[in-house]
Each structure stands twice: as C-alpha cells, then as structure tokens.
Amino acid sequence: MRGERPIPTVLSIAGSDSGGGAGIQADLKAFAACGVHGTTAISAITAQNTIGVDLIESISPRMIIAQIKAVADDIGVDAVKIGMLGDRPTSEAVATGLDLLGEVPVVLDPVMVSESGADLLAAEARESLVKMILPRATVATPNIPEARA
C-alpha cells in the first residue's frame, strides 16, 4: 500500500479519550477535516468524559513501538503528531519509534493536564519529554501552563 497513497498520512501518537473530545479521537477528526489520512499509535487509554478523567492506563512500550512500526512498514508516515505520553517508559518508546520513521516533520503537543484538571504527564516524566522528544519536534504547541512547566 505504501506506494499507492494518494493523500498524505499523519501518525498520531497519543492517548485514547473515551469521551471523544481529545487525544486520538480528536486528532483523527482534525486529520480528516484537513484531507489527510490518519493513523494511530495509542500511548494510553483513558476513562473520561466531559466532567473528568476517572482512570488512565498506559500501553506497554513494546506495543507502542509495534504500532508505530506496523504503520510505517505498510502504510508509511509523512508526518507525526504527538500528544499524551504520560510517563517515562512511554516517552522512551516513542523516541525509539521515531527512530524507525526517518526524517519526518513532528508536531509535539505536550499534553500535561486535562481540561478538567487531571494530571496526564507524571512529574518524573517531564525531563524525558524535554530530553527525548522535544529536540525531535519540528514544532511544539504547548498551552501557556505547559510552556511554563
């Protein structure tokens, strides 16, 4: 399929929002609205709605890397959008996954806190985000509190 892509493919590496308002679900909607094909590597699963986040479970680093590799090997990746990473092992897995993609533009949205106030990036994971992921970003899109942190 790689040679047959009529439209650009963007890989979203982010959390899944069961309420559909953020994360993978929102990225796929935005990609479709922009006329690009969206693919995904899910970094975490959240149980959330418009009121708040009830539970977060990280996806194993092995699975994150496997998702990125599966998309890259078959469909291809023209650009990457990174959202919620959650913890250090996830950041490390995403950095490894980015190595598989070569030189592609990377948009980093350093998701740290949900709109309802839930912490989405562990305090000890901030350093790994800054050291392993931020240097690879073509552009970063933090909100003001994230930029301050």
Side-chain angles (χ1 to χ4, degrees):
M1 181 172 177
R2 185 164 224 210
E4 302 171 20
R5 292 184 292 142
I7 59 173
T9 299
V10 180
L11 171 63
S12 174
I13 304 171
S16 175
D17 171 2
S18 58
I24 293 287
Q25 290 81 352
D27 286 349
L28 290 175
K29 291 176 196 174
F31 297 166
C34 293
V36 299
H37 178 68
T39 58
T40 64
I42 297 174
S43 60
I45 299 171
T46 66
Q48 70 183 80
N49 54 33
T50 61
I51 299 167
V53 178
D54 295 327
L55 184 64
I56 300 169
E57 288 192 11
S58 295
I59 302 298
S60 75
R62 182 173 161 229
M63 177 56 89
I64 293 168
I65 295 166
Q67 290 175 88
I68 294 168
K69 184 175 183 340
V71 170
D73 287 351
D74 177 39
I75 301 165
V77 176
D78 295 309
V80 176
K81 191 270 185 181
I82 300 172
M84 177 185 160
L85 297 179
D87 57 26
R88 176 181 281 279
T90 299
S91 292
E92 291 170 351
V94 170
T96 299
L98 290 175
D99 290 341
L100 303 173
L101 303 179
E103 295 294 319
V104 298
V106 175
V107 175
L108 172 62
D109 177 7
V111 176
M112 300 171 82
V113 180
S114 73
E115 281 190 30
S116 64
D119 285 329
L120 299 176
L121 180 66
E124 67 275 4
R126 290 181 183 182
E127 181 181 350
S128 61
L129 176 72
V130 169
K131 288 186 176 180
M132 291 185 246
I133 307 298
L134 185 60
R136 302 174 92 152
T138 307
V139 64
T141 61
N143 60 32
I144 291 172
E146 291 165 345
R148 286 184 182 133

